Amino acid sequence: NNITEKMEENEQILIELKQGMDDIKEQQNEYEEELKDEDEDIELEENQYEIYQDIKNKICQETASMNLNKSALNNVYSRKKDGFDVFQNEWNVLNKRQEKF
């Protein structure tokens, strides 16, 4: 009788231990899944950052190119304006001479 009770107690303890092991295994699986999800999130963030850096670099390159073009156009404008100013001055001198005659 006492042995039967001990066996039943031991059987109950074994059932509880197995349930505890199953719970721990389930928690471990959930934790591993969370780690996997976190790894995927980190990888996604790294990819997004890489894309951001690529876009930023392209914008910097385009800005530099546009600044060079702007500088070249400013130089052309200055030369043309200088030429026009010379022409305007000569025109004014000719008009004054013509007025004197």
Side-chain angles (χ1 to χ4, degrees):
N1 200 15
N2 194 16
I3 292 178
T4 306
E5 286 176 14
K6 282 289 185 185
M7 286 179 59
E8 287 175 0
E9 284 178 20
N10 287 341
E11 187 67 31
Q12 185 62 35
I13 290 172
L14 284 173
I15 291 171
E16 290 171 5
L17 287 174
K18 185 170 180 352
Q19 182 62 43
M21 287 176 51
D22 290 345
D23 290 346
I24 289 172
K25 182 74 172 167
E26 185 177 330
Q27 288 174 353
Q28 183 179 3
N29 288 341
E30 288 174 5
Y31 178 73
E32 288 173 359
E33 188 65 31
E34 287 175 10
L35 285 179
K36 181 181 170 190
D37 290 345
E38 189 174 310
D39 285 345
E40 290 173 357
D41 289 345
I42 290 171
E43 185 177 344
L44 177 63
E45 288 175 5
E46 287 173 349
N47 289 340
Q48 288 174 336
Y49 184 74
E50 186 176 321
I51 291 169
Y52 161 78
Q53 287 290 59
D54 289 345
I55 291 171
K56 179 181 167 187
N57 289 337
K58 286 179 183 177
I59 288 171
C60 288
Q61 290 171 354
E62 287 297 317
T63 300
S65 175
M66 290 170 71
N67 284 334
L68 282 175
N69 288 339
K70 178 185 172 198
S71 179
L73 289 172
N74 283 339
N75 290 337
V76 169
Y77 172 79
S78 293
R79 285 194 307 272
K80 294 291 183 183
K81 185 175 181 315
D82 290 345
F84 177 76
D85 289 344
V86 168
F87 174 76
Q88 186 70 40
N89 288 336
E90 289 175 1
W91 181 262
N92 290 340
V93 168
L94 289 174
N95 276 339
K96 286 183 183 181
R97 284 185 187 167
Q98 190 174 19
E99 288 174 7
K100 289 182 181 179
F101 287 118

